[in-house]
Amino acid sequence: MTENPSLQRALLQRITELPTFSIFDSTRVVSIEPGPLESPQDLLDLSLYPCVTLSSGQRILTRLLVGADGLNSPVRTFAGIPTRGWDYERHGVVATLKLSEGNFHQRTSDTVTAFQRFLPSGPIALLALPGNHATLVWTTTPDKAAKLKALAGEDFVAMVNAAFRLENVDLEYMSGLKDGQVEELSWRCSVTGVQEDEVRIPRTIESVQQGSVASFPLRYRQADSYTSSHVALVGDAAHTVHPLAGQGLNMGLADVQCLANTIEYTVKHGGDIGDEIYLGRYNSEMWMQNNRILGVTDKLHKLYSVGWGPLVGVRSLGMKMVDQISPLKGWLMKQAGGTGT
């Protein structure tokens, strides 16, 4: 996994190497409106094209406006594209963590292990970063998320270590404490006989990066369409997915790749890159593909939110069967990694 600041630095570096790009920094979008009715030469109806006004006063008229502006996309609002979905009444708590000495469970030179445990309130996952660091994504209720964020760093770390080692009844008690989680974890591990198992349990977390703890509400959203006249949506502007499968970024990157291919095809065939006839290639391919991922992820969330005994047993048996069927397991891993077809 790569941290967002590293991705941003790499992208900005690449942009500076391309002569046809312009970056408008230290500014913001004031409005997005249709262009003027007529061009200065009175040859073209510019009202078909989006016109972006910046806080600097500059106005940009464009054949294609790409909305990569997040969940509450102003570009999507301008295009009048509705979305459908619901809130999960869960928050995702994220943080950057430092683990005990050594690389993050690196089994071979090119593979590492990610860890995920499904708790009644939602899954908790550790995703490998370079060296002995990892990213935390912990899905829980809004009130528990607020309590986690209010903890001192050492107590927050104790709660994460506990979440991968203790039973839910222990976690419920510890989450109700205002402080003292470090001592409570040590005592509970000693009396319950928790065994460190490097196959099932990550290495002990030592610390949390200062200022990295944050949370965000979890939602399911799918735009009715990813395109409109001279407008295309990508990433969270087009869809918002539950993080339990770690597919949000992969979906956004796939959007961008498909849209770039669509633009290239349009230019090669002498078309207008903002024409819905050409943009329809992008919309028809990515809307259905993303809708499948959204549906599967939503059903997984609902499946793992059920605590009914018989269903839990069937669920566990199904996961074990998937683990033992190598072709199916390999296909799922490729899909999760964004390399499947």
Side-chain angles (χ1 to χ4, degrees):
M1 184 173 175
T2 304
E3 290 182 286
N4 190 49
S6 299
L7 285 174
Q8 290 178 335
R9 283 195 299 270
L11 289 171
L12 288 172
Q13 176 61 37
R14 178 57 179 154
I15 288 174
T16 60
E17 298 170 356
L18 300 172
T20 56
F21 277 82
S22 298
I23 298 177
F24 301 91
D25 55 4
S26 301
T27 188
R28 61 186 179 85
V29 174
V30 175
S31 65
I32 307 173
E33 300 170 324
L37 290 177
E38 295 180 344
S39 67
Q41 293 78 25
D42 297 330
L43 298 176
L44 183 65
D45 181 3
L46 297 181
S47 63
L48 299 174
Y49 301 101
C51 182
V52 179
T53 302
L54 304 180
S55 56
S56 62
Q58 184 173 0
R59 302 180 73 197
I60 303 172
L61 195 68
T62 176
R63 286 181 178 273
L64 177 61
L65 179 61
V66 178
D69 47 352
L71 174 67
N72 300 312
S73 168
V75 174
R76 189 182 65 232
T77 301
F78 161 76
I81 300 175
T83 63
R84 303 180 192 278
W86 47 83
D87 295 346
Y88 285 115
E89 298 182 355
R90 293 289 188 275
H91 278 208
V93 178
V94 296
T96 300
L97 307 173
K98 180 181 179 182
L99 283 77
S100 56
E101 198 63 32
N103 284 338
F104 187 96
H105 286 281
Q106 190 157 353
R107 296 184 176 180
T108 67
S109 60
D110 59 351
T111 62
V112 294
T113 303
F115 293 87
Q116 187 171 40
R117 183 186 183 189
F118 287 88
L119 302 170
S121 60
I124 179 172
L126 275 183
L127 307 174
L129 292 172
N132 60 335
H133 289 79
T135 289
L136 169 76
V137 183
W138 188 345
T139 299
T140 188
T141 60
D143 60 319
K144 289 181 179 178
K147 290 179 180 178
L148 285 169
K149 290 195 298 180
L151 293 174
E154 60 272 17
D155 287 329
F156 179 86
V157 167
M159 283 299 301
V160 178
N161 281 321
F164 282 101
R165 290 164 173 79
L166 299 180
E167 297 297 326
N168 190 59
V169 64
D170 300 301
L171 294 177
E172 287 294 327
Y173 177 81
M174 291 179 63
S175 67
L177 301 175
K178 292 184 178 180
D179 53 37
Q181 279 82 358
V182 174
E183 295 79 8
E184 190 68 28
L185 173 62
S186 177
W187 178 79
R188 288 180 181 267
C189 285
S190 67
V191 299
T192 58
V194 173
Q195 300 294 320
E196 294 294 328
D197 181 351
E198 290 200 355
V199 175
R200 298 175 54 249
I201 302 175
R203 287 193 180 100
T204 303
I205 297 157
E206 291 186 345
S207 62
V208 57
Q209 181 177 306
Q210 186 175 2
S212 68
V213 180
S215 70
F216 55 92
L218 304 184
R219 301 181 173 97
Y220 174 108
R221 292 289 189 277
Q222 172 78 312
D224 283 5
S225 172
Y226 293 174
T227 60
S228 180
S229 178
H230 300 281
V231 170
L233 306 176
V234 298
D236 283 356
H239 45 73
T240 306
V241 65
H242 194 291
L244 70 84
Q247 289 304 294
L249 178 60
N250 287 340
M251 292 167 69
L253 293 177
D255 290 344
V256 172
Q257 183 180 38
C258 182
L259 180 59
N261 292 338
T262 299
I263 293 172
E264 182 180 16
Y265 174 89
T266 305
V267 171
K268 285 182 176 179
H269 289 77
D272 181 349
I273 61 173
D275 193 315
E276 285 191 84
I277 294 177
Y278 291 99
L279 289 176
R281 294 167 57 91
Y282 162 67
N283 183 62
S284 60
E285 179 176 344
M286 295 312 302
W287 195 95
M288 287 302 300
Q289 178 176 314
N290 289 333
N291 200 57
R292 286 194 295 269
I293 298 173
L294 285 162
V296 170
T297 306
D298 180 61
K299 290 174 177 61
L300 282 173
H301 164 74
K302 292 173 179 175
L303 177 64
Y304 278 97
S305 297
V306 176
W308 185 50
L311 182 56
V312 171
V314 173
R315 183 177 67 200
S316 300
L317 177 61
M319 292 301 293
K320 289 179 181 178
M321 291 178 63
V322 169
D323 187 52
Q324 294 173 3
I325 303 174
S326 297
L328 177 59
K329 180 180 178 181
W331 181 83
L332 290 172
M333 290 173 66
K334 288 182 178 179
Q335 297 300 312
T339 59
T341 56

